[in-house]
Amino acid sequence: MKKTNPSMLDVARFAGVSIATVSNVINRPEKVSEATAEQVRAAIAELGFVRNDAARSLATGTTSSIGMVLADLDNSLFVDMAHGAQRGVDAVGLRLLLGNAACDLTRQDDYLRLFDEARVGGVLLSPMEDSLAGIERMRSHGRPMVLLNYDQDGIDCCTVLVDNEEVGYLAARHLIETGRKRIGFVAGRDYYQPVHARRVGVQRAVREAGGARLEEIDTGGLDFEDGLAVARALGERPPGQRPDGIVAVTDDIANGIAEGLHTAFVAEVPGDISIVGCEDNRSARSGPVALTAVQLEGVRMGQAAAELLLEEMNAPAGEHRHRTVTVRPGLVVRASTAVAPLGV
Amino acid sequence: MKKTNPSMLDVARFAGVSIATVSNVINRPEKVSEATAEQVRAAIAELGFVRNDAARSLATGTTSSIGMVLADLDNSLFVDMAHGAQRGVDAVGLRLLLGNAACDLTRQDDYLRLFDEARVGGVLLSPMEDSLAGIERMRSHGRPMVLLNYDQDGIDCCTVLVDNEEVGYLAARHLIETGRKRIGFVAGRDYYQPVHARRVGVQRAVREAGGARLEEIDTGGLDFEDGLAVARALGERPPGQRPDGIVAVTDDIANGIAEGLHTAFVAEVPGDISIVGCEDNRSARSGPVALTAVQLEGVRMGQAAAELLLEEMNAPAGEHRHRTVTVRPGLVVRASTAVAPLGV
């Protein structure tokens, strides 16, 4: 049963306890019952586990790490996910290595391969479209992997999702509750799963409310400039035929609309038209007013993903069952929908 | 001369060429002269270099990586540095592993140790205060390391700095050039080197201008709330005794001042008081108007650091000389100082 360089994870598996417990036995023995401590010490002795950082081989050094591949570090959602994952792995004394795919599928695959070669304990991945090959290679090497924000059939992994239908629902309901009757949903690329799900949520909120009606406006894209174009188009309509509340499927669209309405003196935000974004992305290009937005809860997603991964790393062989955790979004109200004067 | 697992770096050193050249010989031979290619092929043969990702050991796998430890991923300056470093290492086919110290010195040291154990080719570090121990351990293992944004005597490393005196100078000069006469410099913690240097730059700009005068306001801290407090204090003065242009040493202070002036109807920004921030941090808490700011040029800093590191990794033993690259900041003008109506 002796291995050359058993890791803390090996000890945890052998003793049938969590990594956190092994770490406690070593670092904070007062926190562990004597029976459990005894069990862990027996595993340490049996496996020949040496806790000596200098003496540890590279392999054990990196087994005590988790790799995380982020789709785009420029987008604060992924930064939030990294923070949440850090919180999750810090709790058990593991370390989180980040790779930024920066929206490049080849680079994403490079990082997956690197983490695989480096024998990290497991991988967290917020995949880009068409990431199946890299995911399957990783799985075929038996390395635990949890996916974030990737709702695809036939993926044999634990997954953390945000409820995007709820995102759209919360955004539209907020407009209706603040008295708006003519709701506009501005979006593009409905083939993206999050865009489509948000649309469904907006439709549901408007249907439930009864008195409001919905106009769906297709921008073609998802960027600030697409929002500017929508504002220009709205400027050509008589005021009574414009929406009085807009859900924009991205924050960039939302800010583009606000900027366009403001610069061309088309309408006041939020007086004439109030606007909600669907991301609460700190890195979105900003508009003239602070944006009310539905928050995708990246920190909670990252933490949930780390916890699922540790669970899988820690499960006895054959006993792990994949599951999906769905995080509920929340609404953050700011000036773009707050018609009353803002308090400090 | 044979080693078990020579890396591309070993080949480059042996052939006396850059890693980029070795990579070109292997992947894009048409880009390399026949004489150079011959030299590289001889080195490959001599060292027994095998370019087979699956067969590579962990050690070579990670030698082809650069580690980067970031002080705080929540601050967009460090995200920018990561992007710049990625650009620098992508150019030579290396991979960048990121560790987020998240403002915790212990975690910073953990990452330095992990990268050391993993035998990365080199390390980029934006250190926190008092980082000497980790830096010296790393150096003692002979691993190349480049420091970002850390201006300390007695550090035996290549360093990339931003010219913080120029940051303050550009901010104050912009206010003066747009007609402001009573310049306020709002800052705290002058013992931080960047804070002090920005102050010196502001003083120089005001001195050079002649007609303007300078008031230095100490906030105690560097946060949004410190800015709010300054706005409250300004509200208690008669309008003619307030600054008409403010340089805030952080964007958070700047946005806090703008928010405080706006909410309590003390003054219009930029009409009565225009405001400049000193970071252009996308993650700063935002205020009621888009902020003019001096940009710290994180992307350029990251790229310069990666290039210095590759230079050091690539230099024949004993021939490397440390140097410091100082990046010049730039000014981004937005609504908080733009008195004329904004164009699109």
Side-chain angles (χ1 to χ4, degrees), chain B residues 12 23 42 80 84 139 150 158 161 186 205 212-213 232 239 245 278 283 304 343:
Chain B
S23 171
D80 287 346
R139 299 296 298 173
Y150 193 66
C158 287
L161 301 174
V186 179
R213 64 188 162 82
R232 271 193 301 273
C278 282
S283 319

Side-chain angles (χ1 to χ4, degrees), chain B residues 23-46:
Chain B
S23 171
N24 278 339
V25 170
I26 295 170
N27 301 307
R28 293 168 291 272
E30 72 283 2
K31 292 193 142 187
V32 188
S33 78
E34 191 44 43
T36 306
E38 195 43 56
Q39 206 171 327
V40 171
R41 282 191 214 106
I44 287 174
E46 175 67 24

Side-chain angles (χ1 to χ4, degrees), chain A residues 38-88:
Chain A
E38 195 43 55
Q39 207 171 327
V40 170
R41 283 191 214 105
I44 288 175
E46 175 66 25
L47 295 174
F49 173 75
V50 182
R51 189 178 169 275
N52 176 338
D53 287 343
R56 283 193 309 189
S57 78
L58 180 55
T60 44
T62 48
T63 300
S64 69
S65 305
I66 301 295
M68 184 173 202
V69 187
L70 297 165
D72 180 12
L73 208 50
D74 245 353
N75 179 329
S76 68
L77 172 63
F78 300 105
V79 175
D80 287 345
M81 287 180 186
H83 276 282
Q86 183 101 49
R87 198 179 290 175

Side-chain angles (χ1 to χ4, degrees), chain A residues 159-179:
Chain A
T159 311
V160 177
L161 301 175
V162 65
D163 185 342
N164 272 304
E165 193 181 318
E166 186 75 8
V167 170
Y169 180 82
L170 288 178
R173 201 186 59 183
H174 171 65
L175 292 175
I176 293 165
E177 284 178 352
T178 53

Side-chain angles (χ1 to χ4, degrees), chain A residues 53 56 58-59 61-62 65 72-74 79-80 82-83 86 90 95-100 102 107 110-111 113-115 117-119 228 263 282-283 288 342-344, chain B residues 53 56 58-59 61-62 65 72-74 79-80 82-83 86 90 95-100 102 107 110-111 113-115 117-119 228 263 282-283 288 342-344:
Chain A
D53 287 343
R56 283 193 309 189
L58 180 55
T62 48
S65 305
D72 180 12
L73 208 50
D74 245 353
V79 175
D80 287 345
H83 276 282
Q86 183 101 49
D90 274 356
R95 286 167 295 195
L96 185 71
L97 290 174
L98 303 173
N100 179 21
R107 208 180 282 131
D110 273 357
Y111 280 114
R113 189 174 293 114
L114 173 62
F115 286 137
E117 288 171 7
R119 295 175 218 171
L228 288 177
T263 321
R282 291 188 301 283
S283 320
L342 281 171
V344 186
Chain B
D53 288 342
R56 284 193 309 190
L58 179 55
T62 49
S65 305
D72 181 12
L73 208 50
D74 244 354
V79 174
D80 287 346
H83 276 281
Q86 183 101 50
D90 273 356
R95 285 168 294 194
L96 185 71
L97 289 174
L98 302 173
N100 178 21
R107 208 179 282 132
D110 272 358
Y111 279 114
R113 190 173 295 115
L114 173 62
F115 287 137
E117 288 171 8
R119 293 173 219 172
L228 288 177
T263 321
R282 290 188 301 282
S283 319
L342 283 170
V344 187

Side-chain angles (χ1 to χ4, degrees), chain A:
Chain A
M1 194 66 201
K2 279 215 201 286
K3 280 178 51 173
T4 324
N5 288 305
S7 67
M8 211 180 265
L9 179 61
D10 295 321
V11 173
R13 281 191 179 141
F14 192 84
V17 298
S18 71
I19 297 182
T21 302
V22 176
S23 172
N24 278 339
V25 170
I26 295 170
N27 300 308
R28 293 168 292 272
E30 71 284 1
K31 292 194 143 191
V32 188
S33 78
E34 191 44 44
T36 306
E38 195 43 55
Q39 207 171 327
V40 170
R41 283 191 214 105
I44 288 175
E46 175 66 25
L47 295 174
F49 173 75
V50 182
R51 189 178 169 275
N52 176 338
D53 287 343
R56 283 193 309 189
S57 78
L58 180 55
T60 44
T62 48
T63 300
S64 69
S65 305
I66 301 295
M68 184 173 202
V69 187
L70 297 165
D72 180 12
L73 208 50
D74 245 353
N75 179 329
S76 68
L77 172 63
F78 300 105
V79 175
D80 287 345
M81 287 180 186
H83 276 282
Q86 183 101 49
R87 198 179 290 175
V89 306
D90 274 356
V92 297
L94 294 181
R95 286 167 295 195
L96 185 71
L97 290 174
L98 303 173
N100 179 21
C103 301
D104 178 322
L105 190 57
T106 309
R107 208 180 282 131
Q108 173 180 297
D109 278 342
D110 273 357
Y111 280 114
L112 290 176
R113 189 174 293 114
L114 173 62
F115 286 137
D116 201 18
E117 288 171 7
R119 295 175 218 171
V120 295
V123 170
L124 301 170
L125 172 66
S126 62
M128 277 172 285
E129 307 283 309
D130 303 321
S131 295
L132 269 176
I135 293 171
E136 287 182 353
R137 188 185 59 245
M138 203 67 154
R139 299 294 298 171
S140 73
H141 292 194
R143 214 165 294 289
M145 173 148 80
V146 174
L147 303 181
L148 291 111
N149 216 16
Y150 193 66
D151 189 7
Q152 295 285 333
D153 288 335
I155 297 282
D156 187 29
C157 283
C158 287
T159 311
V160 177
L161 301 175
V162 65
D163 185 342
N164 272 304
E165 193 181 318
E166 186 75 8
V167 170
Y169 180 82
L170 288 178
R173 201 186 59 183
H174 171 65
L175 292 175
I176 293 165
E177 284 178 352
T178 53
R180 303 299 155 143
K181 302 282 184 202
R182 302 186 305 278
I183 308 303
F185 177 63
V186 179
R189 305 200 186 149
D190 196 65
Y191 49 87
Y192 283 162
Q193 188 267 335
V195 172
H196 184 75
R198 291 171 195 171
R199 180 187 304 274
V200 171
V202 168
Q203 291 168 341
R204 178 161 58 90
V206 173
R207 209 169 44 234
E208 276 184 23
R213 63 189 163 80
L214 175 64
E215 176 184 0
E216 304 187 28
I217 301 174
D218 191 354
T219 58
L222 299 172
D223 300 329
F224 190 84
E225 285 68 24
D226 300 300
L228 288 177
V230 167
R232 271 194 301 273
L234 292 178
E236 289 165 10
R237 301 187 191 178
Q241 291 180 28
R242 296 172 192 148
D244 58 3
I246 290 179
V247 177
V249 80
T250 65
D251 292 353
D252 273 333
I253 292 178
N255 286 316
I257 295 174
E259 176 78 20
L261 295 177
H262 174 77
T263 321
F265 303 103
V266 171
E268 294 276 330
V269 176
D272 305 316
I273 302 179
S274 59
I275 305 179
V276 188
C278 283
E279 297 166 301
D280 201 35
N281 188 340
R282 291 188 301 283
S283 320
R285 208 165 135 184
S286 56
V289 292
L291 188 66
T292 293
V294 182
Q295 216 171 24
L296 301 181
E297 301 288 355
V299 174
R300 279 168 55 213
M301 290 177 79
Q303 186 163 1
E307 286 164 2
L308 284 174
L309 186 65
L310 294 168
E311 211 176 277
E312 180 169 352
M313 287 163 61
N314 208 32
E319 288 192 16
H320 174 75
R321 291 289 168 272
H322 295 313
R323 52 198 185 95
T324 295
V325 171
T326 303
V327 169
R328 282 177 71 88
L331 181 78
V332 185
V333 178
R334 299 197 189 88
S336 73
T337 64
V339 181
L342 281 171
V344 186

Side-chain angles (χ1 to χ4, degrees), chain B residues 310-332:
Chain B
L310 294 169
E311 210 176 277
E312 181 169 354
M313 286 163 61
N314 207 33
E319 289 194 14
H320 175 75
R321 292 288 169 272
H322 295 312
R323 53 196 184 97
T324 295
V325 170
T326 302
V327 170
R328 281 178 69 90
L331 181 77
V332 185

